[in-house]
PDB file of all heavy atoms in Angstrom:
ATOM      1  N   ILE A  49       0.345   2.560 -11.217  1.00 94.00           N
ATOM      2  CA  ILE A  49      -0.197   2.439  -9.875  1.00 94.00           C
ATOM      3  C   ILE A  49       0.943   2.641  -8.828  1.00 94.00           C
ATOM      4  O   ILE A  49       0.810   3.380  -7.900  1.00 94.00           O
ATOM      5  CB  ILE A  49      -0.920   1.086  -9.645  1.00 94.00           C
ATOM      6  CG1 ILE A  49      -2.190   1.112 -10.471  1.00 94.00           C
ATOM      7  CG2 ILE A  49      -1.216   0.857  -8.154  1.00 94.00           C
ATOM      8  CD1 ILE A  49      -2.930  -0.238 -10.508  1.00 94.00           C
ATOM      9  N   VAL A  50       2.062   1.939  -9.057  1.00 94.00           N
ATOM     10  CA  VAL A  50       3.156   2.011  -8.083  1.00 94.00           C
ATOM     11  C   VAL A  50       3.771   3.398  -7.965  1.00 94.00           C
ATOM     12  O   VAL A  50       4.137   3.841  -6.910  1.00 94.00           O
ATOM     13  CB  VAL A  50       4.223   0.945  -8.448  1.00 94.00           C
ATOM     14  CG1 VAL A  50       5.517   1.165  -7.671  1.00 94.00           C
ATOM     15  CG2 VAL A  50       3.678  -0.472  -8.203  1.00 94.00           C
ATOM     16  N   THR A  51       3.794   4.120  -9.075  1.00 92.00           N
ATOM     17  CA  THR A  51       4.399   5.444  -9.071  1.00 92.00           C
ATOM     18  C   THR A  51       3.381   6.530  -8.744  1.00 92.00           C
ATOM     19  O   THR A  51       3.753   7.718  -8.638  1.00 92.00           O
ATOM     20  CB  THR A  51       5.053   5.760 -10.418  1.00 92.00           C
ATOM     21  OG1 THR A  51       4.089   5.735 -11.433  1.00 92.00           O
ATOM     22  CG2 THR A  51       6.211   4.819 -10.735  1.00 92.00           C
ATOM     23  N   GLY A  52       2.111   6.150  -8.583  1.00 90.00           N
ATOM     24  CA  GLY A  52       1.116   7.132  -8.200  1.00 90.00           C
ATOM     25  C   GLY A  52       0.490   7.881  -9.367  1.00 90.00           C
ATOM     26  O   GLY A  52      -0.320   8.801  -9.145  1.00 90.00           O
ATOM     27  N   GLU A  53       0.809   7.523 -10.587  1.00 92.00           N
ATOM     28  CA  GLU A  53       0.209   8.158 -11.748  1.00 92.00           C
ATOM     29  C   GLU A  53      -1.275   7.776 -11.881  1.00 92.00           C
ATOM     30  O   GLU A  53      -2.058   8.524 -12.508  1.00 92.00           O
ATOM     31  CB  GLU A  53       0.941   7.768 -13.024  1.00 92.00           C
ATOM     32  CG  GLU A  53       2.342   8.340 -13.114  1.00 92.00           C
ATOM     33  CD  GLU A  53       3.044   7.930 -14.398  1.00 92.00           C
ATOM     34  OE1 GLU A  53       2.383   7.613 -15.369  1.00 92.00           O
ATOM     35  OE2 GLU A  53       4.284   7.904 -14.367  1.00 92.00           O
ATOM     36  N   GLN A  54      -1.634   6.606 -11.380  1.00 93.00           N
ATOM     37  CA  GLN A  54      -2.994   6.121 -11.456  1.00 93.00           C
ATOM     38  C   GLN A  54      -3.399   5.625 -10.071  1.00 93.00           C
ATOM     39  O   GLN A  54      -2.617   4.972  -9.380  1.00 93.00           O
ATOM     40  CB  GLN A  54      -3.074   4.965 -12.444  1.00 93.00           C
ATOM     41  CG  GLN A  54      -4.403   4.229 -12.518  1.00 93.00           C
ATOM     42  CD  GLN A  54      -4.332   3.073 -13.504  1.00 93.00           C
ATOM     43  OE1 GLN A  54      -3.679   3.129 -14.522  1.00 93.00           O
ATOM     44  NE2 GLN A  54      -5.078   2.029 -13.185  1.00 93.00           N
ATOM     45  N   ASP A  55      -4.632   5.933  -9.656  1.00 92.00           N
ATOM     46  CA  ASP A  55      -5.125   5.436  -8.393  1.00 92.00           C
ATOM     47  C   ASP A  55      -5.447   3.940  -8.502  1.00 92.00           C
ATOM     48  O   ASP A  55      -5.903   3.484  -9.535  1.00 92.00           O
ATOM     49  CB  ASP A  55      -6.386   6.182  -7.958  1.00 92.00           C
ATOM     50  CG  ASP A  55      -6.153   7.606  -7.558  1.00 92.00           C
ATOM     51  OD1 ASP A  55      -4.989   7.926  -7.154  1.00 92.00           O
ATOM     52  OD2 ASP A  55      -7.099   8.398  -7.672  1.00 92.00           O
ATOM     53  N   ALA A  56      -5.206   3.244  -7.449  1.00 94.00           N
ATOM     54  CA  ALA A  56      -5.561   1.802  -7.387  1.00 94.00           C
ATOM     55  C   ALA A  56      -7.029   1.675  -7.045  1.00 94.00           C
ATOM     56  O   ALA A  56      -7.545   2.468  -6.211  1.00 94.00           O
ATOM     57  CB  ALA A  56      -4.707   1.097  -6.360  1.00 94.00           C
ATOM     58  N   THR A  57      -7.706   0.720  -7.621  1.00 94.00           N
ATOM     59  CA  THR A  57      -9.066   0.425  -7.231  1.00 94.00           C
ATOM     60  C   THR A  57      -9.015  -0.263  -5.914  1.00 94.00           C
ATOM     61  O   THR A  57      -7.915  -0.704  -5.439  1.00 94.00           O
ATOM     62  CB  THR A  57      -9.758  -0.471  -8.257  1.00 94.00           C
ATOM     63  OG1 THR A  57      -9.111  -1.743  -8.244  1.00 94.00           O
ATOM     64  CG2 THR A  57      -9.775   0.107  -9.673  1.00 94.00           C
ATOM     65  N   VAL A  58     -10.148  -0.485  -5.287  1.00 94.00           N
ATOM     66  CA  VAL A  58     -10.182  -1.190  -3.998  1.00 94.00           C
ATOM     67  C   VAL A  58      -9.619  -2.603  -4.181  1.00 94.00           C
ATOM     68  O   VAL A  58      -8.805  -3.067  -3.376  1.00 94.00           O
ATOM     69  CB  VAL A  58     -11.620  -1.234  -3.409  1.00 94.00           C
ATOM     70  CG1 VAL A  58     -11.674  -2.159  -2.222  1.00 94.00           C
ATOM     71  CG2 VAL A  58     -12.089   0.154  -3.066  1.00 94.00           C
ATOM     72  N   GLY A  59     -10.008  -3.275  -5.231  1.00 96.00           N
ATOM     73  CA  GLY A  59      -9.501  -4.625  -5.518  1.00 96.00           C
ATOM     74  C   GLY A  59      -7.991  -4.650  -5.747  1.00 96.00           C
ATOM     75  O   GLY A  59      -7.277  -5.536  -5.263  1.00 96.00           O
ATOM     76  N   GLN A  60      -7.508  -3.644  -6.494  1.00 96.00           N
ATOM     77  CA  GLN A  60      -6.091  -3.589  -6.715  1.00 96.00           C
ATOM     78  C   GLN A  60      -5.316  -3.270  -5.457  1.00 96.00           C
ATOM     79  O   GLN A  60      -4.255  -3.835  -5.191  1.00 96.00           O
ATOM     80  CB  GLN A  60      -5.784  -2.520  -7.760  1.00 96.00           C
ATOM     81  CG  GLN A  60      -6.283  -2.887  -9.162  1.00 96.00           C
ATOM     82  CD  GLN A  60      -6.314  -1.706 -10.110  1.00 96.00           C
ATOM     83  OE1 GLN A  60      -6.351  -0.532  -9.707  1.00 96.00           O
ATOM     84  NE2 GLN A  60      -6.403  -2.003 -11.401  1.00 96.00           N
ATOM     85  N   ALA A  61      -5.873  -2.375  -4.637  1.00 95.00           N
ATOM     86  CA  ALA A  61      -5.229  -2.075  -3.325  1.00 95.00           C
ATOM     87  C   ALA A  61      -5.141  -3.330  -2.455  1.00 95.00           C
ATOM     88  O   ALA A  61      -4.119  -3.599  -1.822  1.00 95.00           O
ATOM     89  CB  ALA A  61      -6.003  -0.979  -2.627  1.00 95.00           C
ATOM     90  N   ARG A  62      -6.206  -4.122  -2.447  1.00 96.00           N
ATOM     91  CA  ARG A  62      -6.202  -5.386  -1.667  1.00 96.00           C
ATOM     92  C   ARG A  62      -5.095  -6.309  -2.198  1.00 96.00           C
ATOM     93  O   ARG A  62      -4.428  -6.953  -1.421  1.00 96.00           O
ATOM     94  CB  ARG A  62      -7.554  -6.086  -1.744  1.00 96.00           C
ATOM     95  CG  ARG A  62      -8.574  -5.432  -0.912  1.00 96.00           C
ATOM     96  CD  ARG A  62      -9.884  -6.213  -0.943  1.00 96.00           C
ATOM     97  NE  ARG A  62     -10.903  -5.525  -0.143  1.00 96.00           N
ATOM     98  CZ  ARG A  62     -12.160  -5.369  -0.521  1.00 96.00           C
ATOM     99  NH1 ARG A  62     -12.570  -5.864  -1.644  1.00 96.00           N
ATOM    100  NH2 ARG A  62     -12.997  -4.760   0.295  1.00 96.00           N
ATOM    101  N   GLU A  63      -4.977  -6.395  -3.522  1.00 97.00           N
ATOM    102  CA  GLU A  63      -3.941  -7.239  -4.099  1.00 97.00           C
ATOM    103  C   GLU A  63      -2.562  -6.755  -3.725  1.00 97.00           C
ATOM    104  O   GLU A  63      -1.656  -7.533  -3.419  1.00 97.00           O
ATOM    105  CB  GLU A  63      -4.127  -7.324  -5.602  1.00 97.00           C
ATOM    106  CG  GLU A  63      -3.148  -8.230  -6.344  1.00 97.00           C
ATOM    107  CD  GLU A  63      -3.268  -9.697  -5.954  1.00 97.00           C
ATOM    108  OE1 GLU A  63      -4.191 -10.095  -5.167  1.00 97.00           O
ATOM    109  OE2 GLU A  63      -2.466 -10.492  -6.466  1.00 97.00           O
ATOM    110  N   ILE A  64      -2.350  -5.453  -3.780  1.00 97.00           N
ATOM    111  CA  ILE A  64      -1.068  -4.876  -3.386  1.00 97.00           C
ATOM    112  C   ILE A  64      -0.738  -5.239  -1.936  1.00 97.00           C
ATOM    113  O   ILE A  64       0.401  -5.667  -1.606  1.00 97.00           O
ATOM    114  CB  ILE A  64      -1.063  -3.343  -3.627  1.00 97.00           C
ATOM    115  CG1 ILE A  64      -1.109  -3.040  -5.103  1.00 97.00           C
ATOM    116  CG2 ILE A  64       0.161  -2.710  -2.945  1.00 97.00           C
ATOM    117  CD1 ILE A  64      -1.403  -1.597  -5.439  1.00 97.00           C
ATOM    118  N   LEU A  65      -1.704  -5.060  -1.053  1.00 96.00           N
ATOM    119  CA  LEU A  65      -1.489  -5.380   0.364  1.00 96.00           C
ATOM    120  C   LEU A  65      -1.161  -6.868   0.537  1.00 96.00           C
ATOM    121  O   LEU A  65      -0.290  -7.216   1.326  1.00 96.00           O
ATOM    122  CB  LEU A  65      -2.711  -5.009   1.160  1.00 96.00           C
ATOM    123  CG  LEU A  65      -3.045  -3.492   1.255  1.00 96.00           C
ATOM    124  CD1 LEU A  65      -4.343  -3.232   1.942  1.00 96.00           C
ATOM    125  CD2 LEU A  65      -1.909  -2.740   1.914  1.00 96.00           C
TER     126      LEU A  65
END
Side-chain angles (χ1 to χ4, degrees):
I49 291 172
V50 168
T51 61
E53 291 179 26
Q54 174 182 325
D55 290 335
T57 65
V58 171
Q60 291 164 341
R62 285 184 181 137
E63 182 65 3
I64 292 167
L65 295 174

